[in-house]
Amino acid sequence: MPPIKESTWKTYKRLFGYLKPYRWMFVGGIITGALFSAVDVTIIDGMQRVIDEGFVEQDERFLYKLPLYLIIAMVLRSLFNFMSEYAMGLVGRGIMHDIRMQLFGKYLTLPASFFDARTGGEIVSTMTYNVERIGTSVSDAIKDLVRDLFLIIGAIGLIFYHSWQLGLIFFIGGPLVAWVLRAASKRFKEISRKLQNTMSDVTQVTSEAFQGYRTIKTFSGESQETQSFYRASNANRRQQLRMVITKSISSSLVYSIAGLALAGVILVSADLILSGKLTPGGFTVCFTAMASLSKPLKTISSMNVIIQQAVAAAQSIFAILDRPDEPDSGTVAVERARGDIEFKSLTFNYPSNQQPVLRDIHFHVPQGKSYALVGKSGSGKSTITNLLLRFYPVQPGQILLDGRSIEEYQLSDFRKQFALVSQHVTLFDDTVRNNIAYGINIDASEERIIEVARQANAWEFIQKLPQGLDTIVGDNGTNLSGGQRQRIAIARALLKDAPVLILDEATSALDNESERLVQNALDELMRNRTTIVIAHRLSTIEKADQILLLHEGQIIEQGTHQELLAMQGEYAKLHANQFRD
Ligand code: ADP
């Protein structure tokens, strides 16, 4: 046995926990697997009678019954084969499904900082590759392990029963094989961990390439992408190769040792038969039993890889499952807030970076007012909205909703108070209807959906879609234009009818007609709502009740458009530069 580290033991124990709901099926799988091997062992043992009674003594009745015995054995063997495969498959796939559900649930409750520190490729590959590893290790590896183990026990038993001398040879060859396996297993584990990392790099670069194909094509980034992909794929190739080498060296060694042992067996057998201590039938049984051992020994050595891979995969999954959820210690319930928002002496840095990105932020947005955040890219506008939505815990300072610190509210209640229309509109690969009636509004009536679609200037184009509200929008709305996607997002926000609206205006311009439709829809959405808008358009800024000008994480000027222009300060400069025409 390879030495097992404490953390590995813990992983095994925890994996066994997942077996619990399937324990009877699992036991059934083990029993039928054992019966499967028992049939094989019986067939091997039968060789003695076939040789000694059938062929040497020429017992006619026995010889004619032989085909019948064989048929019975084969039927039983197939039956147990099916039963054990089915049972273990059911257990493995069940565990996989359970872990996948648990992991997905975890992804939904992890804080924003988790996603900041990871690439999409990594997250997707944990869900697919790592989970798959665990599932197959149960449905294939454990199934084979059980069968092989029983076959090994049975075959060694037969050898000892017929000749202890031959059995002893196994006790010399066995430890040698075990030693090779132990050395190989250590290496497999290390390589398989590296292999997983290189695989997620390949996924990552690939998904970047197809998501960003427009940028790649326009900036002629093909050779750069090819180079990154070459590095990722080559690293993966090299790890795979190391795995192949270790695997083949270890199995060649196992074979060589087995060959040496067999040579010894023949030498000893010759002596035993000549001295009459072993019948030809007994010899055949021993020899067949030994030959039948080489396959299970070899599979067990490669099974080790599968199980080590599963352990490595499980460890990385458990590391995610053990991460703390988004903090939700608030107890105050709220049905509908008024929508009065205040930031008080707030300073903030992202967990990944010690540099403060917001410094001493103060402002108060009374209910129903609209405030525009203006400033250069990187000045901290999105960070303000991220904090208001409780995506990151607030450090020094406070954010108040209706006079109460936002952390005091229950998280789910709290988030109901906000609607978000972001420049990166997220549409789900579902119908237009379900994209508008998303999340808490999933049961909204058709009339209500049409009403908000009208208000969002979206009804006209929705009606023209092939299946109207039931048209599938495609992966992230690829079947729709930019303006149409934005209007669906606005309709979604209108349906949510939250007291506070967070608006991240699109920087890219739409054509005039779309622009007008989107703008009107936004005006409708902002009516009677507290709005914080990350503003890029002059018209939005001019209409805002107050403008907050951010610079390197600080509010450097605040006032209405007219007031700020009159100050002749930074805002006036920005205005002159950005909105000259
Ligand atoms: P804006 O919205 O005005 O463009 P942001 O609020 O996005 O500015 O960014 C403010 C600063 O915080 C930038 O320096 C940016 O690099 C940094 N930043 C933004 N998001 C993160 C994050 N998730 N992790 C670490 N730093 C971040």
Side-chain angles (χ1 to χ4, degrees):
M1 272 302 265
I4 296 173
K5 272 195 274 168
E6 200 193 334
S7 60
T8 315
W9 265 126
K10 279 200 184 128
T11 313
Y12 280 129
K13 253 170 92 178
R14 196 157 167 191
L15 275 172
F16 269 108
Y18 285 93
L19 267 181
K20 222 171 166 196
Y22 309 99
R23 57 187 177 280
W24 295 119
M25 214 13 121
F26 187 66
V27 171
I30 291 183
I31 294 175
T32 45
L35 288 172
F36 172 86
S37 300
V39 175
D40 278 356
V41 174
T42 314
I43 293 175
I44 297 175
D45 192 40
M47 305 282 265
Q48 193 209 348
R49 288 185 63 195
V50 174
I51 303 283
D52 292 346
E53 292 175 31
F55 295 133
V56 179
E57 290 166 24
Q58 303 206 329
D59 179 343
E60 208 171 301
R61 276 181 51 200
F62 176 72
L63 272 177
Y64 282 117
K65 272 194 198 150
L66 256 182
L68 182 68
Y69 291 148
L70 201 67
I71 289 171
I72 294 175
M74 284 306 152
V75 168
L76 285 176
R77 194 176 187 272
S78 316
L79 193 71
F80 293 136
N81 177 42
F82 167 76
M83 284 173 19
S84 68
E85 256 179 33
Y86 177 76
M88 288 303 191
L90 193 129
V91 175
R93 301 292 132 181
I95 290 178
M96 216 170 109
H97 172 67
D98 294 346
I99 294 181
R100 224 162 30 196
M101 289 308 295
Q102 211 185 356
L103 192 60
F104 190 75
K106 190 71 192 181
Y107 280 155
L108 295 180
T109 58
L110 281 168
S113 51
F114 172 83
F115 298 98
D116 291 345
R118 272 165 198 78
T119 62
E122 251 177 278
I123 291 175
V124 172
S125 106
T126 308
M127 184 60 100
T128 50
Y129 185 85
N130 291 12
V131 175
E132 180 73 31
R133 284 269 150 271
I134 299 180
T136 46
S137 79
V138 176
S139 49
D140 300 345
I142 297 192
K143 180 201 76 195
D144 290 344
L145 187 74
V146 167
R147 288 179 175 190
D148 290 343
L149 223 54
F150 280 104
L151 186 62
I152 291 172
I153 294 171
I156 292 183
L158 279 184
I159 299 169
F160 270 96
Y161 175 75
H162 289 283
S163 156
W164 61 266
Q165 294 93 332
L166 292 182
L168 272 186
I169 295 184
F170 261 88
F171 273 85
I172 300 162
L176 277 172
V177 175
W179 176 78
V180 175
L181 295 185
R182 179 180 151 160
S185 125
K186 241 169 103 178
R187 189 139 174 78
F188 286 144
K189 203 172 155 192
E190 180 197 317
I191 300 176
S192 95
R193 199 188 300 274
K194 285 190 188 149
L195 197 60
Q196 272 173 31
N197 293 342
T198 56
M199 197 61 213
S200 76
D201 286 347
V202 172
T203 334
Q204 162 66 9
V205 179
T206 310
S207 72
E208 232 171 57
F210 73 72
Q211 276 163 9
Y213 75 90
R214 288 191 182 84
T215 317
I216 295 171
K217 284 187 196 299
T218 18
F219 284 87
S220 305
E222 288 88 351
S223 71
Q224 213 169 323
E225 289 303 317
T226 311
Q227 274 171 22
S228 321
F229 189 76
Y230 176 82
R231 278 193 295 273
S233 177
N234 197 37
N236 181 254
R237 178 187 66 92
R238 283 165 52 178
Q239 291 299 339
Q240 299 261 24
L241 208 59
R242 287 171 70 185
M243 188 76 115
V244 170
I245 292 170
T246 321
K247 225 174 180 173
S248 71
I249 289 181
S250 85
S251 69
S252 311
L253 274 176
V254 170
Y255 267 135
S256 311
I257 296 169
L260 277 175
L262 276 177
V265 166
I266 294 177
L267 197 68
V268 175
S269 308
D271 196 42
L272 290 172
I273 289 182
L274 290 177
S275 62
K277 286 180 186 144
L278 192 65
T279 62
F283 170 75
T284 316
V285 171
C286 286
F287 198 82
T288 320
M290 284 174 191
S292 76
L293 276 170
S294 87
K295 189 188 150 279
L297 282 179
K298 186 170 173 259
T299 356
I300 281 184
S301 89
S302 64
M303 202 154 332
N304 208 17
V305 189
I306 301 177
I307 291 179
Q308 298 298 346
Q309 278 176 343
V311 168
Q315 279 171 343
S316 69
I317 289 174
F318 293 157
I320 294 175
L321 290 178
D322 291 342
R323 296 182 75 89
D325 284 341
E326 207 173 5
D328 181 15
S329 53
T331 50
V332 177
V334 56
E335 193 55 39
R336 189 180 174 84
R338 279 183 291 115
D340 180 284
I341 287 167
E342 189 168 359
F343 277 64
K344 270 183 163 174
S345 345
L346 186 111
T347 295
F348 177 79
N349 64 278
Y350 280 98
S352 56
N353 193 339
Q354 292 311 306
Q355 217 47 7
V357 291
L358 289 179
R359 271 172 292 167
D360 201 26
I361 298 289
H362 277 283
F363 64 88
H364 175 209
V365 191
Q367 177 192 9
K369 299 286 182 199
S370 83
Y371 274 41
L373 303 175
V374 180
K376 285 192 210 124
S377 163
S379 56
K381 306 181 293 290
S382 314
T383 307
I384 288 187
T385 60
N386 284 343
L387 290 177
L388 180 56
L389 285 168
R390 268 169 80 177
F391 287 154
Y392 300 89
V394 172
Q395 298 143 356
Q398 260 192 323
I399 305 176
L400 309 175
L401 173 69
D402 293 354
R404 208 186 256 283
S405 167
I406 55 173
E407 272 131 15
E408 292 176 31
Y409 294 100
Q410 289 170 14
L411 192 60
S412 58
D413 266 13
F414 175 78
R415 295 241 169 96
K416 283 187 194 139
Q417 312 308 318
F418 295 86
L420 173 72
V421 178
S422 147
Q423 58 170 316
H424 310 289
V425 175
T426 303
L427 295 185
F428 300 89
D429 188 11
D430 200 339
T431 57
V432 172
R433 177 197 309 276
N434 290 346
N435 265 292
I436 295 178
Y438 180 72
I440 55 169
N441 298 310
I442 192 72
D443 297 321
S445 68
E446 171 128 4
E447 293 77 53
R448 188 77 188 106
I449 293 174
I450 295 176
E451 189 186 339
V452 293
R454 269 188 218 284
Q455 288 174 341
N457 282 333
W459 183 235
E460 201 175 328
F461 85 79
I462 293 174
Q463 271 179 311
K464 288 187 193 141
L465 293 174
Q467 276 98 38
L469 274 176
D470 295 312
T471 311
I472 303 276
V473 300
D475 192 6
N476 205 12
T478 33
N479 304 343
L480 301 172
S481 77
Q484 290 173 335
R485 295 217 302 260
Q486 284 184 17
R487 280 176 278 155
I488 288 188
I490 294 170
R492 181 192 288 164
L494 277 164
L495 187 63
K496 188 171 179 190
D497 191 26
V500 185
L501 170 68
I502 291 175
L503 188 60
D504 183 2
E505 251 183 357
T507 38
S508 53
L510 299 169
D511 62 83
N512 282 343
E513 173 62 7
S514 300
E515 183 72 48
R516 191 182 58 77
L517 290 171
V518 169
Q519 206 53 54
N520 290 345
L522 282 176
D523 290 345
E524 182 64 37
L525 178 61
M526 287 162 74
R527 195 199 312 258
N528 300 327
R529 257 178 258 275
T530 309
T531 307
I532 294 185
V533 46
I534 299 177
H536 299 292
R537 296 194 181 90
L538 185 59
S539 60
T540 318
I541 300 172
E542 281 174 345
K543 269 190 269 177
D545 293 307
Q546 288 276 304
I547 298 162
L548 307 175
L549 177 63
L550 277 149
H551 179 70
E552 293 179 359
Q554 281 181 302
I555 298 178
I556 52 168
E557 286 174 20
Q558 175 173 357
T560 62
H561 178 63
Q562 294 308 333
E563 287 166 1
L564 290 184
L565 280 186
M567 272 169 64
Q568 300 269 318
E570 289 301 319
Y571 179 78
K573 271 192 221 156
L574 183 85
H575 181 259
N577 280 334
Q578 266 186 9
F579 307 114
R580 236 185 313 253
D581 40 79

